[in-house]
Amino acid sequence: PPVCNWNNVGFGAGTIKDVMENSSNVGFGQIGLMLGADRFYKYLDLFNLTRKTGIDIPGEAKGLQLPLKIAKEHDRDLATQAFGQTLTVTPIQMLAAINAIANDGKWIQPHLLQEFRTPDGQTVRKFEPQVRQIISPETAREVQVLMESVVAKGTGKGAQVLGYGVAGKTGTAEKFVDGRKLQDVYIASFAGFAPVPNPRVSVLVMIDEPGGGLKYGGQIAAPVFSQMVGDVLRYLQVPPKSAGPPERNQVTERVAVPNFVNLPPDLAKSVAKDAGLNLTVRGTGGPLITAQIPPAGVGVAPGAMVQVRIDPMPSAATAGDTVRVPDLRGMTLRQAADLLSGMGLFLHQPEGAGAVVRQEPAPGAAVPRNSRVQLWLQSPARPAP
């Protein structure tokens, strides 16, 4: 079959910017042919798409490409690789390559961690990743501009994040099993970074066999990127630069994330519902929440997801790191949980309901940070503010 665009419509003559914005298979295929097989494979190698990244997890794989000889002999094989078919890369290979564009042409070996620190904040091991300048900063910035245009005007509009510049590219790949193409089965994807300029985060979203009549990366993967990256940038407290595109200005309100630490999951779900947020509870460590992401006080979009955990409580700190237990009598469980969380203290399973009438340790007692406080409650309680 002939090479055609995703919508089986020709776009006519245009620039590389038009090819990017429209995600034109024909345009990318022509670019691949203009480069030639030798240069095309050279840049696959420069962007580390022909070998493992060396990330520090076991079992890393690498993608597959047609032999260079075949790409030289058959223009179609080169053209189809140029728009992303008949060659494969792993997600970490792709994200590292995208990062090279975001990093002004520097390919940086990915690591799971940046450094190890002791509980008191001392760095005991710092990873120094390999860094290679694979293309010039000027070329990388030109590609950044093209990727911004994809999000601003092209197939990646769904990846826009209110108040931040975003650069990215959509992808819609056909699926093959045993060498045969599956009918109407796809992998939808979006890869990008934000904010631009000066990116802080990059994300690759891949959705295998999307349903609901959706199949294109711009339809289903780009909106996931938008939600995720918007939450991450607010969590990192990256200030927005603008009000954003007019068509997205309706999402202007923000919700302050409540404190969920020290609350039972059922109460936390009720608090999240009242705040207009969604809550995911993970872990099996105990009856009370011990951690949350994003932290309390961070502003998020209405309906955003907050993840809480009920892992085992951390061990008490050393005797030198102590706090004084506040007087919690008369408070509701939620008020007491919030105050203790801010002081680095955890609740033991509280007994009763209503207002705090008794506590151990007593008010004013000096205890190590991460210690547990037992509460007894009794009705009536004064309402939480």
Side-chain angles (χ1 to χ4, degrees):
V3 172
C4 58
N5 291 321
W6 56 270
N7 58 357
N8 293 315
V9 174
F11 297 109
T15 64
I16 292 179
K17 181 171 177 286
D18 298 315
V19 172
M20 288 283 286
E21 288 180 4
N22 292 293
S23 196
S24 170
N25 293 341
V26 173
F28 282 115
Q30 290 177 324
I31 292 171
L33 294 176
M34 292 169 64
L35 284 172
D38 286 324
R39 279 205 290 179
F40 183 82
Y41 276 69
K42 169 189 173 184
Y43 281 98
L44 286 180
D45 191 62
L46 280 174
F47 276 88
N48 212 94
L49 298 175
T50 59
R51 57 191 182 278
K52 299 177 182 179
T53 66
I55 190 171
D56 39 4
I57 53 176
E60 184 187 7
K62 63 177 181 177
L64 299 172
Q65 299 82 34
L66 293 173
L68 175 59
K69 179 182 178 181
I70 293 178
K72 283 184 173 182
E73 293 176 351
H74 304 283
D75 285 349
R76 180 185 176 85
D77 288 321
L78 176 58
T80 53
Q81 288 190 100
F83 64 80
Q85 292 283 158
T86 69
L87 81 168
T88 64
V89 298
T90 66
I92 194 62
Q93 282 179 311
M94 176 59 71
L95 198 55
I98 292 291
N99 286 350
I101 301 298
N103 290 325
D104 288 343
K106 294 185 180 73
W107 186 90
I108 300 176
Q109 181 186 15
H111 279 284
L112 287 179
L113 299 175
Q114 179 176 334
E115 60 187 25
F116 287 109
R117 296 179 184 174
T118 61
D120 61 358
Q122 299 296 315
T123 299
V124 295
R125 183 182 178 188
K126 188 176 180 68
F127 292 97
E128 299 293 343
Q130 299 177 18
V131 179
R132 298 195 302 272
Q133 187 80 44
I134 58 174
I135 59 174
S136 70
E138 294 77 19
T139 299
R141 289 171 196 146
E142 288 187 24
V143 179
Q144 291 174 17
V145 171
L146 294 173
M147 294 174 70
E148 281 187 84
S149 186
V150 170
V151 177
K153 302 177 182 179
T155 57
K157 287 181 180 178
Q160 294 172 358
V161 179
L162 180 66
Y164 301 94
V166 175
K169 182 67 183 71
T170 57
T172 306
E174 298 171 323
K175 286 196 69 173
F176 289 76
V177 174
D178 297 328
R180 300 184 65 179
K181 185 179 79 170
L182 301 181
Q183 189 67 28
D184 294 324
V185 180
Y186 300 88
I187 299 174
S189 63
F190 183 89
F193 47 86
V196 285
N198 304 317
R200 292 286 304 278
V201 59
S202 62
V203 171
L204 169 61
V205 177
M206 300 178 67
I207 300 177
D208 190 14
E209 300 187 18
L214 302 176
K215 63 181 180 181
Y216 300 121
Q219 290 178 318
I220 190 167
V224 175
F225 175 96
S226 173
Q227 176 74 50
M228 185 183 304
V229 171
D231 288 346
V232 169
L233 292 176
R234 287 186 288 272
Y235 175 74
L236 295 175
Q237 300 183 351
V238 178
K241 293 293 182 68
S242 67
E247 63 270 23
R248 295 180 62 84
N249 278 347
Q250 69 273 18
V251 190
T252 56
E253 67 271 25
R254 289 287 176 263
V255 176
V257 176
N259 173 68
F260 296 108
V261 174
N262 284 324
L263 296 181
D266 288 345
L267 177 56
K269 290 177 181 177
S270 176
V271 171
K273 182 178 180 181
D274 290 343
L277 301 173
N278 293 303
L279 197 73
T280 298
V281 181
R282 301 191 183 280
T284 57
L288 302 178
I289 292 168
T290 56
Q292 68 179 76
I293 296 175
V298 171
V300 298
M305 179 64 69
V306 178
Q307 179 175 295
V308 298
R309 299 198 64 88
I310 50 174
D311 296 323
M313 294 182 184
S315 302
T318 60
D321 186 12
T322 60
V323 294
R324 293 197 174 274
V325 179
D327 187 350
L328 305 171
R329 291 170 295 183
M331 294 186 180
T332 65
L333 175 60
R334 185 177 169 189
Q335 290 169 332
D338 194 29
L339 180 57
L340 291 175
S341 174
M343 301 180 69
L345 298 174
F346 289 96
L347 278 176
H348 194 63
Q349 177 67 30
E351 296 184 12
V356 178
V357 294
R358 179 183 163 202
Q359 67 179 80
E360 289 182 6
V367 298
R369 198 176 301 276
N370 293 341
S371 293
R372 297 154 181 75
V373 178
Q374 175 70 60
L375 298 182
W376 289 263
L377 298 92
Q378 181 177 307
S379 296
R382 69 180 187 229

